[in-house]
């Protein structure tokens, strides 16, 4: 459990890949004004891997900010679960909360379950959430291949572009490079044709 007092920032990023079963569970309470809680990540799942991500952020004071951005790619029989909630308590005016989960499915047998939630008891807030699940877009894939790029490379380029927004949430460059390198290895192995 994270408790953020006034004028504090928390910045966390999780890259999930490799474990048969993984669970990321974060509960944060923004108990001071002008604090910022960023809980972001990516997941790269294949075979029969199962990843469950649960995030709950309580905004109890004014002028708090929170950001949740997760992007993942699933292949084979992998299953991902994302449950995120932003809870804005009465009196937590000027709260700015954002939540997004996007998943790319590489197989018909992969599964993604998403439950984004907002519960708001203040009237002067800016909060939003969203979720998408889909396959590689055939239009850009066709475009890249029509320019002479082979299908495997084109698929990898589209997957890299998909993950890039999440990796941009990592502000520490050496950490970003390490995570991007790990993701690169996974993408090399999963750039096959559907």
């Amino acid at each position: 459990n994270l408790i953020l007092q006034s004028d504090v920032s928390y910045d966390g990023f999780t890259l999930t890949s490799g474990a048969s079963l993984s669970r990321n569970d974060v509960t944060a309470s923004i108990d001071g004004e002008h604090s910022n809680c960023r809980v972001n990540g990516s997941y790269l799942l294949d075979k029969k891997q199962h990843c469950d991500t649960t995030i709950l952020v309580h905004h109890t004071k004014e002028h708090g900010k929170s950001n949740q951005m997760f992007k993942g790619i699933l292949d084979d029989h992998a299953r991902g679960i994302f449950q995120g909630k932003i809870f804005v308590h009465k009196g937590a005016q000027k709260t700015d909360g954002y939540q997004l989960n996007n998943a790319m499915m590489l197989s018909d047998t992969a599964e993604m379950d998403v439950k984004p939630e907002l519960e708001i008891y203040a009237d002067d807030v800016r909060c939003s959430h969203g979720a998408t699940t889909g396959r590689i877009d055939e239009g850009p894939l066709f475009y890249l291949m029509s320019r002479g790029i082979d299908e495997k490379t084109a698929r990898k380029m589209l997957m890299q572009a998909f993950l890039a927004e999440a990796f941009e949430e990592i502000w520490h460059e050496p950490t970003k490079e390490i995570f991007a390198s790990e993701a690169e290895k996974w993408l090399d192995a999963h750039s096959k044709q559907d």
Side-chain angles (χ1 to χ4, degrees), residues 1 3 70 87 118 144 161 166 181:
N1 287 348
I3 299 174
F70 281 78
F87 191 111
L118 297 174
L144 291 171
S181 175

Side-chain angles (χ1 to χ4, degrees), residues 111-191:
E111 179 181 339
M112 186 70 211
D113 301 309
V114 182
K115 185 181 176 192
E117 292 182 89
L118 297 174
E119 190 167 340
I120 301 171
Y121 295 99
D123 57 4
D124 186 7
V125 302
R126 184 175 73 174
C127 294
S128 63
H129 62 44
T132 63
T133 301
R135 301 181 67 74
I136 287 181
D137 191 337
E138 294 297 321
L141 181 63
F142 175 78
Y143 176 82
L144 291 171
M145 291 172 60
S146 72
R147 298 300 184 258
I149 298 172
D150 66 89
E151 187 172 359
K152 180 178 171 98
T153 303
R155 286 181 176 281
K156 182 178 175 185
M157 289 171 67
L158 292 173
M159 288 188 284
Q160 286 172 317
F162 175 77
L163 293 175
E165 186 179 12
F167 285 126
E168 286 304 313
E169 295 295 319
I170 305 171
W171 292 350
H172 186 254
E173 286 300 321
T175 301
K176 185 187 299 187
E177 290 173 15
I178 291 168
F179 283 7
S181 175
E182 287 302 310
E184 185 88 10
K185 294 174 195 171
W186 193 93
L187 295 176
D188 281 337
H190 294 84
S191 300

Side-chain angles (χ1 to χ4, degrees), residues 67-83:
N67 186 76
Q68 303 169 38
M69 178 186 291
F70 281 78
K71 287 201 166 199
I73 302 176
L74 294 86
D75 201 358
D76 304 321
H77 294 276
R79 181 176 184 206
I81 298 172
F82 178 85
Q83 300 175 90

